[in-house]
Amino acid sequence: MSSSSPVAATIVIFGGAGDLARRKLVPALFDLHRFGHLARETVIVGNGRSVEDDAAWRASMKAAVAEFGHDTPLDEAAWEAFSTRLFFHRGDLKAAHDLVEMKARLEALEKERGLPGSRLYYLAIPPSAIAPLVVNLGAAGLVHPVETPGPWSRIVVEKPFGHDLASARALNDEIHGVFRERQVFRIDHYLGKETTQNVLVFRLGNGIFEPLWNRRYVDHVQITVAESIGVEGRGRFFEETGILRDIVQNHVLQLLCQVAMEPPVAFEPNAVRDEKVKVLRSIRPQTPEEVLRDTVRGQYGAGSIDGQPVPGYRQEPNVSPASLRETYAAWKVQIDNWRWAGVPFYLRAGKRMPKRVTEIAITFKTPPIALFRKTGVLTQEPNVLILRIQPDEGIALRFGAKQPGPTMKVDTVKMDFRYADAFAGKTHDAYERLLLDALHGDSTLFARRDEVEAAWEHVTNVLDVWRGNPPSDLPNYECGTWGPEAAMELMARDGRRWRRP
Ligand SMILES: NC(=O)c1ccc[n+]([C@@H]2O[C@H](COP(=O)([O-])OP(=O)(O)OC[C@H]3O[C@@H](n4cnc5c(N)ncnc54)[C@H](OP(=O)(O)O)[C@@H]3O)[C@@H](O)[C@H]2O)c1
């Protein structure tokens, strides 16, 4: 969390009454207020068509913070103070004159509060509304040019950032028609998680791990993002998206970058992002045959989770009964650079898995000589370092140890570090950290244009091959299992197997 003094600014949430604002943004802003990270003058202005006025928005946000916030029961005094920062400007972001009216309202509020006019525009709106809003912000004179000293204007853009490479490029072009790159904050909330940031600290803030972090010692890497939930009423969205776009293009590839990137020359935005882009550009391009060989699509059929029966994907509301949309994806990726040549990265993401878990597992090579062979110890499990991103955040190392007793028997044991044990007290939500960084203008944890496009380039290649080769075996895994048989075969072919986290 940034330690510099609070920045006086106006925060505008487009989509102020939407799900993201209710669940994440306003609860995070309330926490920033409670812990003294918001400047005294700062105001938060919601926008949308469905809320009547300031009072109605305050009441609805109070209910949201009570339901989704960390402060239970809600601290009434803190809420009262916070709610004086909240205002709602009703309007249609696609109507240019509504934005002109909003400008007048913002200027009046800023004058009243003694704010400089610096503004953070948070776009918690459907992807199709981003381009029209950006144009209208520019046309209404709501964007300060970066060249002029004084107040600044920045936008935070949510995922999904585009639907494929062409649409991501088009969206970037549209945004850059009004904003410069340093004003654009493309959010991936995984980067705001303490555990994701800790991957770099673990690697580069310690002397003993980084020397092992390369092809000489690492056999392979597995990255897993598993959810036990299904599509949770978002059938329509998921039918258009699928898990490769929704999770792999952003979260999984961001985790891959954290593990695989070279140490940046400094911990500052462009130095860090330069290294991430290099990783994405080093991913070996795949021919259609290689895509079909090295990826697996899955879709869940009916099954049970925690003993409770749950429906298959095709039975979910707003999902076609013949849907070919993937709810599981596995992908073997090769990074062709000096450090990682020959070390496969196995990526997987799935819904309706047995448990919710996100982890990175680094499996090391076995020792060169089986020294204990004569004593009956034939095989030894490789060392595995597990970086648990969520839940039960922490780091574990699995290694062999001699079982106590007169004979030589080796067992695998685990050294375990748990965040919850080591650091008592409040954990900060990813959105708190990211909102604060955006207010301070620090884009280290936000994706740059070339990074997003490089990720889409690989993902679009897979999507194109998949589209031309529709699967015939869906649904191919039961709810509550670790995915389709073909994914197990993908690993077995290489003499490896997926972890069961
Ligand atoms: N929800 C999450 O947990 C989550 C997580 C990650 C990313 N995201 C992304 O965040 C964005 C918002 O998601 P969401 O779940 O909050 O969606 P949502 O609940 O549908 O909210 C979208 C909001 O956009 C507003 N809006 C749409 N068209 C408008 C227009 N012409 N003028 C003014 N306001 C308009 C709507 O406000 P009115 O109805 O009041 O006009 C609505 O409140 C999406 O891009 C989504 O992919 C969401």
Side-chain angles (χ1 to χ4, degrees), residues 15 17-21 23 47-51 91-94 123-127 129 158-160 431:
D19 185 66
L20 184 69
R23 270 176 205 277
N47 168 266
R49 296 155 303 180
S50 62
V51 175
D92 185 340
L93 56 84
K94 290 185 180 165
L123 276 48
I125 52 174
E158 266 291 343
K159 71 156 213 179
Y431 277 92

Side-chain angles (χ1 to χ4, degrees), residues 139-162:
L142 280 160
V143 182
H144 297 106
V146 279
E147 295 78 13
T148 326
W152 46 260
S153 316
R154 299 179 189 136
I155 50 166
V156 182
V157 188
E158 266 291 343
K159 71 156 213 179
F161 195 91

Side-chain angles (χ1 to χ4, degrees), residues 32-53:
L32 289 178
H33 162 88
R34 287 199 298 142
F35 292 99
H37 295 300
L38 291 186
R40 188 179 42 80
E41 308 88 333
T42 287
V43 291
I44 302 157
V45 181
N47 168 266
R49 296 155 303 180
S50 62
V51 175
E52 208 53 52
D53 53 20

